Amino acid sequence: FAEARSLGQTALAYHLQEMYETALAYYFKALSLYEEMDNRAYITNASNNIGECYCRLGRYAEALIYTERTLALNRQYGQSAYEADALANLGEAHFGLGDFVEAQRCLEDSLRLYRQVDMPMIEYRARYWLGKLSAELGDAAAAQMHLDLALPLAEEASDWSAAAASVGELGYLHERGKAYDLALEHYDQARDRFRQHRSKYGALPYVLRKGSLLLELDRLDETRSLRIQAESMAQALGHNDFLFESRILGAKLDAAGGEREAALRALANLHASAATPAQAIEATYALWTIGGETQWGEQALALLTREVDRTPRAVYRDRIKALHAAGLRGEDGGAPGDI
């Protein structure tokens, strides 16, 4: 037991330093020993931490396996508060995989359980993800409600990470509402809060979001600096989704700077390497908006139409409308404007 616990403590130290691959190696060694001893409490804890590391690395399918195991063990032993935590983690994994329906179900169940066991101070875990999900769905009122509740609860619980992330997601709400100065201010606040704790993983999404917004505002020099930062951070973290996103931003920046052909070559390479439907959509839609070729617009529309029911992001619906407005038809031959 002492050896297993020492391995678990080493894993946790690497986990807290955001050295997730190294942490996983130690967690798996500890888990193997706990399984030999049939120590259910430590098996549950190790499985939960493994799932969290996989989420941080953007490896959501693997996260799902260990988080579902954690949930099953917590249910077996009637640990409602821990079950609520596992459901929140499961919601995050489903969100990462683009399964918004299942993510919402898990997160709502998590919030219900937190309230059932009278633990309002830690319900921010579910509130934050419900706010983030609602923002992606385009439900600004629900997103605002959840995030406004999550932020003070996270601060009261001294969970600086959840508090910083809540600030950043409020920034995204401002961006969707075209309050760009407020959005940039919130992105900076979120990034700075994470940097105070040396959290590259936490800061990176808001570096990317600020860069994308600055590009839309034609502030190219600032965007270029942030794009370089983002790619370096994504490479250091080994996070494929963020690395892909930073390279999409780089290609768009090239196009905005007059290097259209270079941008299209970069996007074609990204399109060929896309590992998920979300990545394929980003590359294909950018190829259409920059290159203007009908074939890319048709491919983008087909991808969006297939994904929008499972992943009904507001931005996906906006893109479908833009493609229809350009006269493109779906795979079923529907008239432009039919969604």
Side-chain angles (χ1 to χ4, degrees):
F1 178 78
E3 181 186 358
R5 189 169 184 184
S6 175
L7 287 165
Q9 289 171 340
T10 302
L12 181 61
Y14 282 117
H15 188 156
L16 294 174
Q17 293 174 58
E18 299 189 340
M19 298 173 66
Y20 299 120
E21 293 281 7
T22 306
L24 282 169
Y26 281 95
Y27 278 135
F28 277 120
K29 289 177 184 177
L31 179 60
S32 178
L33 292 174
Y34 291 139
E35 287 173 336
E36 287 178 15
M37 293 182 285
D38 196 29
N39 188 319
R40 304 295 177 84
Y42 281 89
I43 289 170
T44 305
N45 186 56
S47 297
N48 179 72
N49 290 338
I50 288 168
E52 186 175 312
C53 283
Y54 277 134
C55 271
R56 297 293 84 79
L57 291 167
R59 292 161 61 178
Y60 300 110
E62 291 158 290
L64 211 58
I65 294 167
Y66 287 92
T67 306
E68 285 178 338
R69 183 185 191 188
T70 304
L71 178 61
L73 287 167
N74 283 323
R75 282 177 169 166
Q76 183 179 345
Y77 293 104
Q79 298 285 340
S80 295
Y82 294 125
E83 182 183 343
D85 285 343
L87 281 164
N89 292 340
L90 201 58
E92 178 184 356
H94 282 299
F95 179 94
L97 288 168
D99 189 347
F100 281 15
V101 173
E102 192 61 21
Q104 186 162 13
R105 184 190 67 77
C106 290
L107 293 167
E108 287 176 348
D109 284 351
S110 173
L111 180 58
R112 176 182 53 78
L113 270 176
Y114 279 133
R115 309 200 87 182
Q116 184 178 305
V117 297
D118 195 24
M119 299 180 74
M121 217 176 114
I122 58 172
E123 71 179 45
Y124 67 83
R125 296 171 184 170
R127 291 272 186 202
Y128 164 74
W129 280 102
L130 281 166
K132 186 177 177 71
L133 177 62
S134 297
E136 290 285 354
L137 292 170
D139 188 343
Q144 188 84 47
M145 176 195 71
H146 286 301
L147 292 168
D148 281 347
L149 289 167
L151 177 55
L153 288 172
E155 289 178 330
E156 187 178 351
S158 299
D159 189 333
W160 59 265
S161 180
S166 297
V167 170
E169 293 309 311
L170 286 165
Y172 181 63
L173 281 183
H174 288 307
E175 181 177 345
R176 289 288 298 175
K178 302 189 185 304
Y180 298 133
D181 287 342
L182 278 173
L184 291 169
E185 181 181 321
H186 277 71
Y187 292 155
D188 281 342
Q189 287 178 16
R191 180 202 60 199
D192 291 347
R193 283 184 182 220
F194 279 115
R195 282 181 174 170
Q196 285 174 6
H197 296 274
R198 299 182 181 178
S199 174
K200 289 182 180 178
Y201 171 82
L204 180 50
Y206 305 107
V207 173
L208 282 165
R209 281 192 171 168
K210 181 179 179 182
S212 296
L213 178 52
L214 289 172
L215 179 61
E216 292 296 318
L217 298 173
D218 204 32
R219 291 162 61 174
L220 302 189
D221 287 341
E222 294 169 89
T223 305
R224 192 168 291 109
S225 173
L226 289 171
R227 201 281 303 173
I228 293 168
Q229 288 180 44
E231 184 162 350
S232 174
M233 292 165 72
Q235 286 176 328
L237 288 170
H239 198 298
N240 183 55
D241 286 345
F242 288 146
L243 185 58
F244 194 93
E245 191 175 341
S246 70
R247 289 174 175 168
I248 289 281
L249 178 60
K252 291 178 178 178
L253 184 59
D254 286 343
E259 299 178 40
R260 180 174 175 275
E261 293 306 315
L264 290 172
R265 284 195 300 272
L267 288 168
N269 289 332
L270 287 166
H271 179 266
S273 68
T276 65
Q279 290 182 358
I281 286 169
E282 292 306 311
T284 309
Y285 191 77
L287 279 162
W288 176 67
T289 57
I290 292 169
E293 293 185 22
T294 300
Q295 64 164 340
W296 292 119
E298 289 173 345
Q299 283 191 38
L301 183 56
L303 285 166
L304 286 160
T305 303
R306 282 199 298 271
E307 282 298 302
V308 75
D309 287 338
R310 193 176 77 92
T311 312
R313 284 191 165 98
V315 69
Y316 285 3
R317 297 195 300 272
D318 292 344
R319 289 175 178 180
I320 289 172
K321 289 176 183 176
L323 288 157
H324 284 161
L328 293 164
R329 296 172 179 268
E331 291 179 331
D332 63 355
D338 291 345
I339 299 180

